[in-house]
Amino acid sequence: PVSVTFRVSPTPAATARAAAQLFTEAAGKAAQSRGLARIAISGGTTPKTMFGLLADPAEPFLKQVPWDKLDLYWVDERCVPPDNAESNYRMTKEALLSKVPLPAERVHRMEGELAPDVAAARYESTIRNTFKLEGAETPTFDLVLLGMGDDGHTASLFPHTEALNEMSHIVVPNHVPQKDTWRITLTWPVINQGREVAFLIEGAGKTQVLHDVFLGPYQPEVHPSQLIRPASGQLTLLLDSAAAAKLPAP
Ligand code: 6PG
């Protein structure tokens, strides 16, 4: 059984602050216990404000995050070059990486400019090598920070797509017919293996899907976010009050 904690903030700005805090604490805890923090982040638009807070010299986070002990990964990427407007890497670079002392060799991006199967295989190798995995071992990220689409997708695990059935890889290419595109994504068993797994979700556009994912019937083919059931037994949701409007009051 997974215990789900809903942390609802009054505004998107306050939600982003809660996420920056969670990121900073998870990085600090991991660096202190293991000398290294491995964090996988999402793309889309929601994390941008959190990245801005992490990089802001007027905020406490920039000084608190152990940047020299951080390895940064992505949960998914669009199949576009890294300078494309759609690139998750590009958004992160502009909002965060260009402003914080994180060495380039500790930033592990998915290569959206390559053929999807090649990019996925190369990212799986990158993870195997940097985590020093052996045989069939799979990675344990210290924090996996997810977003959720209004169709219930998370990472690039879209409804009714092949990647939902993928149990044996760490990273896969995923064809997304509803967007007529390919994506590269971590697989859901790997996401679930994270020490900490959290969703950051805001806005009225997510109200209904949050209700359906957490209060509706279990139909992961329809709402892939329902596959996220961390092995740690703990799932955290950072929400603004608009997104949380159809969840039961705490
Ligand atoms: C991506 C994501 C994706 C995202 C959701 C929510 O590459 O698009 O990682 O899973 O988190 O689509 O996106 P928004 O934050 O833009 O609503």
Side-chain angles (χ1 to χ4, degrees), residues 35-74:
L36 192 61
R38 291 156 165 151
I39 295 184
I41 53 171
S42 287
T45 52
T46 309
K48 201 169 173 180
T49 314
M50 173 194 74
F51 292 155
L53 288 170
L54 289 173
D56 184 348
E59 296 285 345
F61 311 112
L62 185 60
K63 287 183 225 66
Q64 292 169 350
V65 172
W67 299 106
D68 58 331
K69 297 191 172 69
L70 178 62
D71 274 278
L72 195 65
Y73 299 82
W74 274 261

Side-chain angles (χ1 to χ4, degrees), residues 12-229:
T15 315
R17 184 167 295 277
Q21 211 136 22
L22 182 108
F23 184 104
T24 303
E25 279 167 17
K29 216 189 296 174
Q32 201 167 25
S33 343
R34 287 174 296 281
L36 192 61
R38 291 156 165 151
I39 295 184
I41 53 171
S42 287
T45 52
T46 309
K48 201 169 173 180
T49 314
M50 173 194 74
F51 292 155
L53 288 170
L54 289 173
D56 184 348
E59 296 285 345
F61 311 112
L62 185 60
K63 287 183 225 66
Q64 292 169 350
V65 172
W67 299 106
D68 58 331
K69 297 191 172 69
L70 178 62
D71 274 278
L72 195 65
Y73 299 82
W74 274 261
V75 301
D76 78 325
E77 183 57 280
R78 291 92 185 269
C79 290
V80 296
D83 58 353
N84 187 285
E86 285 278 295
S87 165
N88 286 337
Y89 171 75
R90 177 181 162 151
M91 184 279 273
T92 311
K93 188 175 177 195
E94 288 176 358
L96 181 73
L97 304 175
S98 58
K99 301 174 183 164
V100 298
L102 181 58
E105 66 272 17
R106 309 292 294 272
V107 177
H108 310 287
R109 73 171 182 90
M110 292 177 170
E111 297 162 294
E113 67 275 32
L114 303 179
D117 56 334
V118 175
R122 280 175 57 98
Y123 205 63
E124 182 151 331
S125 290
T126 295
I127 290 177
R128 286 197 167 284
N129 293 335
T130 53
F131 278 76
K132 302 185 177 63
L133 301 180
E134 288 179 16
E137 278 178 355
T138 51
T140 298
F141 289 97
D142 293 301
L143 172 64
V144 183
L145 196 51
L146 298 166
M148 192 185 291
D150 57 13
D151 60 354
H153 80 262
T154 189
S156 278
L157 302 166
F158 283 82
H160 308 290
T161 56
E162 284 286 320
L164 304 185
N165 305 312
E166 181 56 65
M167 311 282 295
S168 57
H169 277 88
I170 298 170
V171 187
V172 289
N174 195 23
H175 185 238
V176 185
Q178 53 270 55
K179 287 194 175 283
D180 191 21
T181 191
W182 284 83
R183 295 284 187 96
I184 305 154
T185 187
L186 291 188
T187 56
W188 59 268
V190 166
I191 294 173
N192 280 338
Q193 201 178 319
R195 287 198 174 83
E196 247 182 281
V197 182
F199 280 98
L200 169 61
I201 305 168
E202 61 162 64
K206 307 287 170 69
T207 312
Q208 186 60 41
V209 76
L210 268 166
H211 170 275
D212 296 347
V213 166
F214 289 98
L215 301 175
Y218 185 70
Q219 293 176 307
E221 283 286 328
V222 180
H223 298 303
S225 294
Q226 291 181 326
L227 293 166
I228 306 309
R229 304 180 115 171

